[in-house]
Amino acid sequence: MKIGVPIEVKNNESRVSITPAGVFELSKLNHQIYVQAEAGLASGFTDLDYREAGAEILPDIASVYEVAEMIVKVKEPIKEEYKLARKGQIIFTYFHFASSKKLTDAMIASEAICIAYETVQDADGSLPLLTPMSEVAGRMATQQGAKYLEKPTRGKGILLGGVPGVTPGKVLVLGAGVVGIQAAKMAAGLGAHVIIFDISMKRLRYVNDIMPSHVTTAFSNEYNIRKHIKDADLIIGAVLIAGAKAPKLITKDMLKDMQPGTVMVDVAVDQGGCFETTRPTTHEDPTYIIDDVVHYCVTNMPGAVPYTSTLALTNVTFPFIFEIANKGWKEACAFNPALAKGLSLDEGEIICKEILKDRAMA
């Protein structure tokens, strides 16, 4: 198979979808890999590294799309790429269709085969290709939240962990999935007082078992959320419904109950966000303020740490890339039910039920 690896063109997205190690393994089975010049540079991989592993280096993104039977990316195609995708071409990446009708319409029109990392699902319900980036994003949510609590960025001027004689900050984490647990772990490590919310008692019991005593749990409902936001310093949105839009747990009217300088980090922004006031931001311009509340809603948080993120991502995506390359997408999906769950669009036909549901509600 001819496999294309383009540069990610989304703002400050520095990850790359296949490492030289992946190129080496694919090349051993005579697959041809075409890598756009400098695609891996920000992640620590040079064009020479890719050449020595067996890839051919192409000068621009159009050349990569033109030659490849399968495009492997990290983030969803953006407007400049819409016209490059073609009928029958496999595109394997994070899509997050639920948050963008324009993207969905463009990919339907292209008649490409769209397989979404975020909806590949194992039999136990886990999302193996989302997990490593959720781990990175969860840890970064606390890290970024702590930074934007500083006064120069219009936060409260609070050190999350406090110091002897000074009370630590209060962190609310909405959702006890992978993102939420990683965010809580980081906040707890800094010494903050953490409350983690979820609607699953099974998850809350798990959190209670594994976390230190200064991490407490609360059942997620509007009453409890409204109660705790009044003196929260950092609120992290970590809610996920696989393939669908995230529910709005913090409404605009709740902002008036928060203290000025409170920071909200919405990790669910790729799925529409779990705050009503969420709008996508970039690493270049990451925050905005509404009612004196700082919002951080960067859509590709792990892109800021590309070395860590690229290795974490490619560790889990490569076996699926390898399977598609060896068997073709139809046989690979037929053989692997987890991969089949990732199939979102088939030459213009919507396969993913969540996309159909969201379009019906729009």
Side-chain angles (χ1 to χ4, degrees):
M1 184 177 281
K2 295 177 180 178
I3 301 166
V5 180
I7 283 180
E8 298 296 322
V9 290
K10 190 165 186 167
N11 181 283
N12 278 285
E13 179 50 69
S14 302
R15 290 170 287 182
V16 66
S17 58
I18 299 179
T19 64
V23 169
F24 183 77
E25 293 300 322
L26 289 163
S27 297
K28 286 198 298 187
L29 292 179
N30 297 319
H31 299 298
Q32 296 166 274
I33 299 86
Y34 299 90
V35 178
Q36 186 179 346
E38 299 187 350
L41 208 54
S43 293
F45 306 115
T46 66
D47 289 348
L48 180 60
D49 293 332
Y50 281 105
R51 279 199 191 94
E52 289 179 343
E56 182 176 334
I57 306 298
L58 297 181
D60 54 55
I61 194 168
S63 303
V64 175
Y65 270 89
E66 185 178 359
V67 73
E69 297 167 282
M70 175 166 67
I71 293 289
V72 183
K73 284 176 49 63
V74 176
K75 291 300 288 181
E76 73 280 356
I78 64 172
K79 190 176 180 181
E80 299 94 288
E81 296 174 89
Y82 292 170
K83 64 183 182 296
L84 300 176
R86 66 177 186 269
K87 182 174 181 177
Q89 185 176 53
I90 305 161
I91 303 180
F92 192 33
T93 188
Y94 289 118
F95 276 105
H96 299 290
F97 283 119
S99 65
S100 177
K101 185 177 184 298
K102 285 183 180 178
L103 171 65
T104 308
D105 290 343
M107 291 299 99
I108 289 172
S110 75
E111 298 187 41
I113 310 299
C114 298
I115 305 176
Y117 290 167
E118 72 273 12
T119 54
V120 171
Q121 190 171 31
D122 285 333
D124 62 1
S126 63
L127 303 166
L129 305 192
L130 195 60
T131 296
M133 293 304 95
S134 295
E135 290 168 339
V136 173
R139 293 182 176 214
M140 283 191 69
T142 299
Q143 184 173 297
Q144 296 300 317
K147 180 172 74 177
Y148 285 100
L149 273 171
E150 295 170 6
K151 206 63 181 176
T153 54
R154 298 181 65 182
K156 285 185 176 183
I158 283 177
L159 183 66
L160 266 188
V163 292
V166 181
T167 306
K170 178 178 177 181
V171 179
L172 307 185
V173 179
L174 307 180
V178 176
V179 170
I181 285 177
Q182 295 301 320
K185 187 183 292 184
M186 286 291 280
L190 289 172
H193 172 55
V194 184
I195 304 176
I196 187 163
F197 293 75
D198 206 280
I199 57 173
S200 166
M201 287 306 301
K202 184 178 180 181
R203 293 302 296 174
L204 294 180
R205 289 188 182 100
Y206 175 70
V207 169
N208 194 62
D209 285 343
I210 65 165
M211 289 290 181
S213 59
H214 59 292
V215 177
T216 57
T217 58
F219 191 80
S220 184
N221 55 43
E222 185 177 342
Y223 181 86
N224 284 341
I225 292 171
R226 283 185 180 272
K227 174 184 172 184
H228 286 286
I229 61 174
K230 293 176 182 178
D231 61 349
D233 300 307
L234 172 60
I235 302 170
I236 296 172
V239 178
L240 173 71
I241 300 173
K245 284 186 177 178
K248 307 299 183 191
L249 300 185
I250 303 283
T251 57
K252 188 178 188 305
D253 75 289
M254 290 181 183
L255 301 188
K256 69 180 185 300
D257 295 327
M258 298 179 193
Q259 297 170 2
T262 299
V263 175
M264 300 204 305
V265 178
D266 196 345
V267 186
V269 60
D270 275 330
Q271 296 295 112
C274 59
F275 308 146
E276 187 180 2
T277 47
T278 288
R279 66 170 187 260
T281 63
T282 65
H283 289 293
E284 206 167 71
D285 188 16
T287 63
Y288 57 93
I289 294 174
I290 299 176
D291 294 343
D292 293 322
V293 173
V294 181
H295 292 61
Y296 178 97
C297 306
V298 173
T299 55
N300 59 327
M301 289 172 63
V305 286
Y307 181 77
T308 298
S309 297
T310 291
L311 293 178
L313 179 62
T314 56
N315 284 343
V316 293
T317 56
F318 184 75
F320 292 94
I321 295 166
F322 198 69
E323 190 168 7
I324 294 169
N326 289 335
K327 298 177 180 175
W329 74 268
K330 286 185 179 178
E331 187 181 337
C333 286
F335 179 80
N336 188 335
L339 182 62
K341 291 264 190 178
L343 181 62
S344 299
L345 301 175
D346 177 3
E347 296 191 357
E349 181 186 354
I350 299 174
I351 306 299
C352 177
K353 292 177 183 177
E354 284 76 15
I355 298 175
L356 286 169
K357 192 186 300 179
D358 284 337
R359 287 172 77 85
M361 291 171 66

